[in-house]
Amino acid sequence: MVNPMELVAKHYARIILPWAVLLISLLGTGVAGYWIKLDIERDEYRKFTFYCDEAQLKIAARLDAHKQTLLGAAALFDSSEDVTRSEWRNYVRRLSSDEHFNGIQGLGFSAWIPAKTLSAHQAQLRAEGFPEYAVRPEGKRDAYTSIVYLEPFTGLNLRAFGFDMYSEPVRRAAMEQARDENRVRLSGKVTLVQEMTENVQAGTLMYVPVYQKNRPVDTVEQRRAALLGWVYSPFRMGDLLDKLVPDFDGKTQTHAHFRVYDGPTVQADKLLYSNTEQSYVETSKPSSIREITTDFNGTVWTLQFEQITGTQGNTDYSKAWIILSAGVFSSLLLFLLLRSYLNMRVNAAKMAEDLTARVRESEQRFRKLADSAPVLIWQSGTDKLCYYFNKVWLEFTGHTLEQEQGSGWAEYVHPDDHQYCLDVYETAFDRRASFSMEYRLRRYDGEYRWLFDTGVPCFADDKNFLGYIGSCVDITERKQIENKLARAHEELHQFTHIAAHHLQEPARRLMSFVQSLQAQIPTEQLSEEAIASLHFIQQGAGRQSALVRDIQLYLAADQPRSPTIKIAVSEVVANLLKQRASLMRETGAQVDYNGIPPVCIDRPRLKDIFNILLDNALSYRHPELAPHVRISGKLKAGRVIYRVADNGIGIPEEYRERVFGVFERLQVHEDQNSTGIGLAIVRRIVESCGGSVTLHETPGGGTTVLFDLPG
């Protein structure tokens, strides 16, 4: 007799269980979506930190470029008895500061004027054609300074003429430090005298002391006594950084508020620069804030970056939304299925009489379905022995069901695969886990065929283990294709190596032939056409040799050619520079590379990267400048970010992606063996190591290559 309480309990279980499963499933979906969201934000934060580091490097490079400009101006005074106003104008015009040094308001000279010489100084300037000239602000002081040279000497810069910067505390502190320490110094936050009432920007000034010639400057007292004045540059921070660090409005790779503060702390009154309007900053919510301090000759700036994500940022949460949507849909579907299943169990008692018949009918249907399926199907019991094989299996092996049952089927597995096949099957069986494996089984005609076998455990009422059911698919053709592809890949490498050897041989013979002719026939006996032909042959052979070499390097660029170890990059660069010693002496080239972090890569490919980049920097040099290459690196999150900057002819922005293509060259000279494959080799090596490579403009002109490798 059925217990009424038991019926009531089952009734409530049937109602509550689906809702509990739905709740748990939705909770799991929420957790999964949340973890996907965190993963997306971690990736965005990595991009954000890369953007911050890149901005810091660019600012440091920009300040260093301005520093070199002022040092050059100071050197003009050191090398001349008296720098005239016209000489100063010509010098500044030659620098083309507006074109190459964004943010410079002008380049000037401020003279040191003891109080006793003030009247004579003003009289001299008035005599030079400035009748209204006077040092300002007025007032009695122990000493004065006056801006006497400032180029361009037009527009707002005229307002600074005669201004005594020494009278203002912030400027005075920087001028005294520059004078006493004999080095470049930056002032704190100031408002430039050139500013008007509109578009007022925070400013700063960079000073370099100038001393009288042939005076000792070893001590502070000697420097003060020998002081002639200062060369300086005023900067409007907005003009200095806007073009260096893109604005927020859809121009940055990672949406970020970027601000620069004077000093080691973030204070509103010390704000030098912001790339966004204050009203926009107040309405947006940063997800991450990063502060970096940068020191320029003792002057500290704090760079503050606020990463903006969500509706006001560019973070793509579509993946998380897809996971959430799919999870909710699956949860609802599971809820409906479970509720339907439980409702079906309510009628189980009513169907008890039909259960046996239906089971038999179901088994018959399975056998018919299995026999008609285009795959090999098998079943095993709880004793690990197989008791059923479908018609396709039996036709494949040519055996009877009795011959295959038990372990009979295993006798026809290829001897090399036999133990592996049994180990996989028995291990999965003991764990009641699904498995898949590949092995060879002998067909009825004696040929061994590759099968992909998948087995899953079967349970009754989710508790009682019944055995396994599996299916096999003939994958012989696929394996043959894979083997052919593997052989083809190996043959391609062998062909490349052999072809390179054979293609190099004609080039070597041509070079040898030309050298032999030149040695045997005096030059005066050859016509101009014959000399040109020999030169053309020699040039063509060199280009063919270089082309074959670079093609071979490109094809092998994605595979290590020696063990991957920790390598000192400075050592590799030093060896490469030794090989170019004569070229560097001839061009006056300078390469700075000390203090570069080591990297984990094979030595041949690391050598290829810097070999190509050095060749490009020295080959595509500026016609009026001695080549200057700066190699630096910084370790971040297990990767080393390298920066190779030159002062060459540069690459226009529209071509900076195109030059990474094979055989792409922007300039071709008859005396160059350039193949147009170098940068393609660099990108292939870097990307095979999980990195990326980009090109940028060097401040002041030239090309900067940024790439990262495992640290």
Side-chain angles (χ1 to χ4, degrees):
M1 189 174 190
V2 179
N3 188 340
M5 296 299 295
E6 183 178 350
L7 291 176
V8 172
K10 290 183 178 180
H11 172 72
Y12 281 107
R14 188 174 75 253
I15 296 175
I16 295 174
L17 183 59
W19 289 102
V21 171
L22 176 62
L23 179 62
I24 294 173
S25 181
L26 290 176
L27 181 62
T29 299
V31 171
Y34 176 74
W35 280 108
I36 293 295
K37 174 179 176 292
L38 289 182
D39 186 64
I40 293 171
E41 291 176 349
R42 280 193 292 267
D43 184 63
E44 285 298 313
Y45 184 74
R46 182 184 64 79
K47 296 177 182 177
F48 169 67
T49 57
F50 183 84
Y51 165 76
C52 298
D53 295 334
E54 186 178 17
Q56 181 190 15
L57 289 174
K58 286 182 177 180
I59 292 172
R62 175 61 55 84
L63 292 177
D64 186 65
H66 294 324
K67 169 185 173 181
Q68 298 303 321
T69 302
L70 289 182
L71 289 174
L76 179 63
F77 279 90
D78 293 340
S79 61
S80 176
E81 293 294 335
D82 183 21
V83 178
T84 66
R85 189 175 302 277
S86 61
E87 288 176 336
W88 183 259
R89 182 183 303 111
N90 292 334
Y91 173 76
V92 176
R93 185 179 301 157
R94 184 63 175 172
L95 285 178
S96 300
S97 60
D98 290 340
E99 178 181 351
H100 298 298
F101 301 99
N102 294 326
I104 289 183
Q105 191 70 18
L107 191 62
F109 172 69
S110 178
W112 173 254
I113 308 169
K116 62 182 179 180
T117 63
L118 176 62
S119 298
H121 167 78
Q122 293 183 144
Q124 178 185 350
L125 264 292
R126 290 167 183 169
E128 291 180 5
F130 304 99
E132 298 181 359
Y133 171 81
V135 176
R136 52 187 173 79
E138 297 180 352
K140 292 185 178 182
R141 297 185 286 277
D142 294 337
Y144 302 82
T145 67
S146 175
I147 300 174
V148 294
Y149 296 162
L150 181 59
E151 295 293 336
F153 195 56
T154 58
L156 297 178
N157 278 349
L158 296 176
R159 297 174 52 141
F161 185 49
F163 178 65
D164 181 2
M165 293 186 288
Y166 205 66
S167 65
E168 193 275 317
V170 176
R171 292 175 173 85
R172 179 171 182 162
M175 296 169 77
E176 289 178 342
Q177 290 172 345
R179 176 198 65 195
D180 293 345
E181 299 172 6
N182 190 16
R183 64 171 179 166
V184 182
R185 289 306 299 255
L186 270 176
S187 76
K189 177 182 177 181
V190 299
T191 299
L192 302 178
V193 295
Q194 291 94 328
E195 290 290 356
M196 301 291 285
T197 57
E198 297 180 358
N199 190 27
V200 176
Q201 300 179 15
T204 184
L205 301 102
M206 186 180 291
Y207 295 97
V208 174
V210 178
Y211 303 102
Q212 300 172 28
K213 294 188 62 175
N214 302 320
R215 292 284 301 274
V217 290
D218 297 326
T219 66
V220 173
E221 289 74 17
Q222 290 175 344
R223 293 170 192 149
R224 293 178 178 178
L227 182 66
L228 185 62
W230 294 264
V231 292
Y232 80 101
S233 285
F235 303 107
R236 302 180 80 209
M237 292 302 295
D239 296 341
L240 177 68
L241 297 181
D242 275 346
K243 295 181 180 179
L244 184 67
V245 181
D247 290 339
F248 173 71
D249 188 15
K251 298 178 182 179
T252 53
Q253 292 180 344
T254 298
H255 287 328
H257 299 321
F258 169 57
R259 290 182 284 275
V260 179
Y261 294 89
D262 179 22
T265 60
V266 174
Q267 298 179 17
D269 61 334
K270 296 292 185 178
L271 180 64
L272 288 172
Y273 171 80
S274 176
N275 71 333
T276 52
E277 296 291 340
Q278 184 62 26
S279 59
Y280 188 88
V281 174
E282 292 173 354
T283 59
S284 60
K285 296 181 179 180
S287 63
S288 298
I289 298 178
R290 189 173 184 216
E291 295 180 0
I292 303 174
T293 57
T294 180
D295 188 325
F296 180 80
N297 284 22
T299 299
V300 176
W301 284 356
T302 299
L303 313 182
Q304 185 187 67
F305 302 86
E306 293 183 352
Q307 182 187 16
I308 307 303
T309 58
T311 57
Q312 294 175 328
N314 64 346
T315 305
D316 183 6
Y317 288 111
S318 59
K319 185 177 179 181
W321 283 113
I322 291 173
I323 295 296
L324 284 173
S325 300
V328 170
F329 176 77
S330 300
S331 299
L332 291 174
L333 182 61
L334 179 61
F335 167 75
L336 294 174
L337 290 175
L338 182 58
R339 190 169 66 172
S340 175
Y341 170 74
L342 292 176
N343 287 334
M344 288 175 58
R345 292 196 60 184
V346 174
N347 300 319
K350 298 179 181 179
M351 299 187 301
E353 296 178 359
D354 301 330
L355 184 58
T356 303
R358 291 189 179 186
V359 170
R360 291 175 181 174
E361 182 181 354
S362 177
E363 184 176 352
Q364 290 175 356
R365 288 178 180 176
F366 168 75
R367 296 292 174 91
K368 290 180 180 179
L369 179 63
D371 287 339
S372 61
V375 295
L376 287 70
I377 298 177
W378 55 268
Q379 284 183 291
S380 66
T382 57
D383 57 358
K384 297 184 182 179
L385 300 179
C386 295
Y387 63 85
Y388 171 75
F389 296 89
N390 72 339
K391 182 180 178 182
V392 178
W393 180 293
L394 299 177
E395 290 177 349
F396 179 89
T397 61
H399 302 142
T400 64
L401 180 61
E402 290 73 18
Q403 289 176 310
E404 298 290 276
Q405 286 177 336
S407 299
W409 65 274
E411 297 179 10
Y412 308 103
V413 176
H414 194 284
D416 293 343
D417 304 334
H418 186 272
Q419 191 58 46
Y420 160 76
C421 183
L422 293 181
D423 289 345
V424 172
Y425 173 68
E426 291 178 357
T427 300
F429 195 98
D430 293 338
R431 297 170 55 195
R432 304 296 191 262
S434 301
F435 69 87
S436 60
M437 60 180 170
E438 296 178 3
Y439 59 89
R440 287 165 288 183
L441 184 67
R442 191 171 68 187
R443 197 168 59 180
Y444 64 88
D445 57 0
E447 179 185 352
Y448 282 99
R449 304 284 292 181
W450 279 100
L451 300 181
F452 180 74
D453 193 347
T454 302
V456 294
C458 299
F459 298 89
D461 298 328
D462 298 331
K463 294 181 180 180
N464 299 321
F465 177 62
L466 301 178
Y468 269 75
I469 182 171
S471 62
C472 303
V473 179
D474 190 336
I475 59 169
T476 304
E477 286 72 19
R478 191 196 78 186
K479 296 290 288 188
Q480 291 172 347
I481 292 173
E482 290 176 354
N483 292 335
K484 288 180 181 178
L485 289 175
R487 288 195 298 270
H489 184 71
E490 179 63 27
E491 290 171 357
L492 176 61
H493 278 283
Q494 293 180 358
F495 172 78
T496 302
H497 179 73
I498 296 172
H501 174 75
H502 287 287
L503 289 173
Q504 291 280 19
E505 185 60 27
R508 286 193 291 267
R509 291 184 179 179
L510 282 174
M511 295 286 284
S512 176
F513 177 73
V514 170
Q515 292 171 357
S516 177
L517 284 177
Q518 291 174 336
Q520 295 178 15
I521 303 175
T523 304
E524 57 270 13
Q525 295 182 14
L526 295 173
S527 65
E528 292 184 1
E529 181 179 357
I531 295 173
S533 297
L534 289 175
H535 179 68
F536 178 79
I537 293 172
Q538 192 172 25
Q539 214 174 42
R543 287 178 180 166
Q544 178 181 338
S545 178
L547 179 62
V548 172
R549 178 203 64 211
D550 285 356
I551 290 176
Q552 189 176 16
L553 287 176
Y554 179 78
L555 292 175
D558 61 341
Q559 297 294 328
R561 303 203 299 273
S562 70
T564 299
I565 57 175
K566 205 83 165 180
I567 300 177
V569 178
S570 298
E571 177 186 338
V572 173
V573 173
N575 291 333
L576 292 172
L577 293 178
K578 286 181 181 178
Q579 300 171 11
R580 293 165 174 78
S582 79
L583 176 60
M584 294 184 65
R585 286 194 300 271
E586 177 185 339
T587 61
Q590 177 183 350
V591 180
D592 302 330
Y593 62 91
N594 291 326
I596 312 175
V599 70
C600 284
I601 191 176
D602 56 299
R603 186 177 293 273
R605 292 197 297 166
L606 180 64
K607 180 180 177 182
D608 290 343
I609 291 175
F610 283 97
N611 192 42
I612 291 168
L613 296 182
L614 285 172
D615 277 347
N616 287 350
L618 297 177
S619 298
Y620 299 103
R621 56 185 178 270
H622 195 285
E624 299 178 0
L625 299 174
H628 190 182
V629 184
R630 296 181 179 90
I631 304 175
S632 59
K634 189 173 185 180
L635 182 63
K636 281 290 181 182
R639 307 283 298 181
V640 181
I641 304 172
Y642 289 104
R643 182 177 182 272
V644 181
D646 64 49
N647 63 341
I649 60 176
I651 299 174
E653 184 176 359
E654 61 269 24
Y655 296 109
R656 288 177 193 159
E657 182 61 27
R658 179 177 169 185
V659 295
F660 284 107
V662 179
F663 305 124
E664 289 288 352
R665 292 180 293 175
L666 294 184
Q667 296 190 11
V668 181
H669 302 290
E670 292 299 325
D671 57 348
Q672 286 184 348
N673 285 334
S674 173
T675 62
I677 306 179
L679 287 177
I681 295 172
V682 172
R683 170 170 280 186
R684 190 169 167 89
I685 294 174
V686 172
E687 289 182 348
S688 71
C689 298
S692 62
V693 55
T694 55
L695 299 181
H696 304 271
E697 181 181 0
T698 302
T703 300
T704 297
V705 184
L706 270 176
F707 61 95
D708 61 293
L709 293 170

XYZ file of all heavy atoms in Angstrom, residues 82 85 117-130 133 149:
150
model
N 81.644 86.367 -28.650
C 80.457 87.194 -28.394
C 79.364 86.773 -29.378
O 79.489 87.004 -30.584
C 80.807 88.674 -28.563
C 79.605 89.563 -28.222
O 78.711 89.085 -27.507
O 79.584 90.722 -28.684
N 73.014 89.024 -31.795
C 71.587 88.749 -31.952
C 71.308 88.042 -33.274
O 70.500 87.104 -33.352
C 70.802 90.056 -31.872
C 69.281 89.861 -31.817
C 68.594 91.208 -31.615
N 69.065 91.862 -30.397
C 68.580 91.589 -29.192
N 67.613 90.709 -29.046
N 69.057 92.221 -28.126
N 75.858 97.205 -12.848
C 75.961 97.324 -14.309
C 74.599 97.451 -14.969
O 74.502 97.398 -16.192
C 76.689 96.100 -14.891
O 75.902 94.918 -14.625
C 78.064 95.938 -14.277
N 73.533 97.619 -14.179
C 72.188 97.656 -14.752
C 72.024 98.831 -15.710
O 71.498 98.681 -16.820
C 71.144 97.730 -13.631
C 69.691 97.867 -14.098
C 69.285 96.655 -14.913
C 68.753 98.037 -12.898
N 72.448 99.998 -15.302
C 72.274 101.185 -16.151
C 73.037 101.035 -17.459
O 72.519 101.347 -18.546
C 72.750 102.435 -15.395
O 71.978 102.647 -14.231
N 74.287 100.547 -17.373
C 75.080 100.365 -18.591
C 74.423 99.335 -19.512
O 74.409 99.492 -20.735
C 76.500 99.942 -18.227
N 73.882 98.277 -18.914
C 73.228 97.239 -19.713
C 72.026 97.811 -20.471
O 71.856 97.576 -21.679
C 72.783 96.079 -18.812
C 71.855 95.122 -19.479
N 72.295 94.159 -20.363
C 70.494 94.992 -19.391
C 71.254 93.485 -20.800
N 70.142 93.966 -20.232
N 71.166 98.574 -19.763
C 69.976 99.129 -20.409
C 70.373 100.115 -21.500
O 69.751 100.165 -22.570
C 69.071 99.792 -19.361
C 68.471 98.778 -18.399
C 67.517 99.423 -17.406
O 66.530 98.827 -17.047
N 67.809 100.632 -16.959
N 71.419 100.914 -21.243
C 71.872 101.873 -22.254
C 72.372 101.157 -23.500
O 72.117 101.578 -24.638
C 72.974 102.775 -21.661
N 73.095 100.043 -23.309
C 73.627 99.286 -24.452
C 72.485 98.743 -25.313
O 72.519 98.829 -26.537
C 74.511 98.144 -23.951
C 75.062 97.278 -25.081
C 75.832 96.081 -24.553
O 76.105 95.998 -23.357
N 76.181 95.180 -25.444
N 71.445 98.169 -24.663
C 70.335 97.605 -25.425
C 69.543 98.688 -26.149
O 69.079 98.504 -27.281
C 69.420 96.819 -24.492
C 69.666 95.298 -24.412
C 69.303 94.631 -25.717
C 71.114 95.010 -24.052
N 69.393 99.848 -25.516
C 68.681 100.937 -26.183
C 69.459 101.428 -27.395
O 68.869 101.791 -28.423
C 68.445 102.074 -25.185
C 67.434 101.719 -24.106
C 67.441 102.718 -22.966
N 66.506 102.316 -21.907
C 66.455 102.874 -20.703
N 67.301 103.869 -20.400
N 65.572 102.449 -19.815
N 70.784 101.401 -27.274
C 71.620 101.818 -28.402
C 71.545 100.824 -29.559
O 71.803 101.177 -30.707
C 73.073 101.992 -27.940
N 71.217 99.591 -29.273
C 71.123 98.570 -30.326
C 69.827 98.683 -31.123
O 69.582 97.886 -32.023
C 71.227 97.171 -29.708
C 72.599 96.856 -29.160
C 72.653 95.453 -28.556
O 71.641 94.722 -28.669
O 73.699 95.095 -27.980
N 68.951 99.617 -30.754
C 67.733 99.796 -31.528
C 66.464 99.508 -30.762
O 65.406 99.326 -31.377
N 66.546 99.464 -29.428
C 65.374 99.227 -28.602
C 65.258 100.384 -27.605
O 65.603 100.253 -26.412
C 65.496 97.891 -27.859
C 65.713 96.722 -28.781
C 66.996 96.204 -28.975
C 64.664 96.140 -29.462
C 67.207 95.137 -29.820
C 64.867 95.058 -30.301
C 66.131 94.558 -30.489
N 63.604 99.889 -24.157
C 64.021 98.705 -23.402
C 64.283 99.053 -21.934
O 64.884 100.085 -21.615
C 65.281 98.105 -24.008
C 65.897 97.004 -23.166
C 65.395 95.704 -23.216
C 66.961 97.273 -22.302
C 65.948 94.707 -22.438
C 67.512 96.280 -21.519
C 66.993 94.995 -21.589
O 67.528 93.990 -20.819
N 67.815 87.701 -25.669
C 67.608 86.998 -26.943
C 66.425 86.060 -26.759
O 66.369 85.306 -25.782
C 68.824 86.160 -27.340
C 70.091 86.950 -27.610
C 71.326 86.299 -27.605
C 70.064 88.313 -27.876
C 72.499 86.993 -27.847
C 71.223 89.011 -28.109
C 72.442 88.357 -28.091
O 73.589 89.030 -28.326
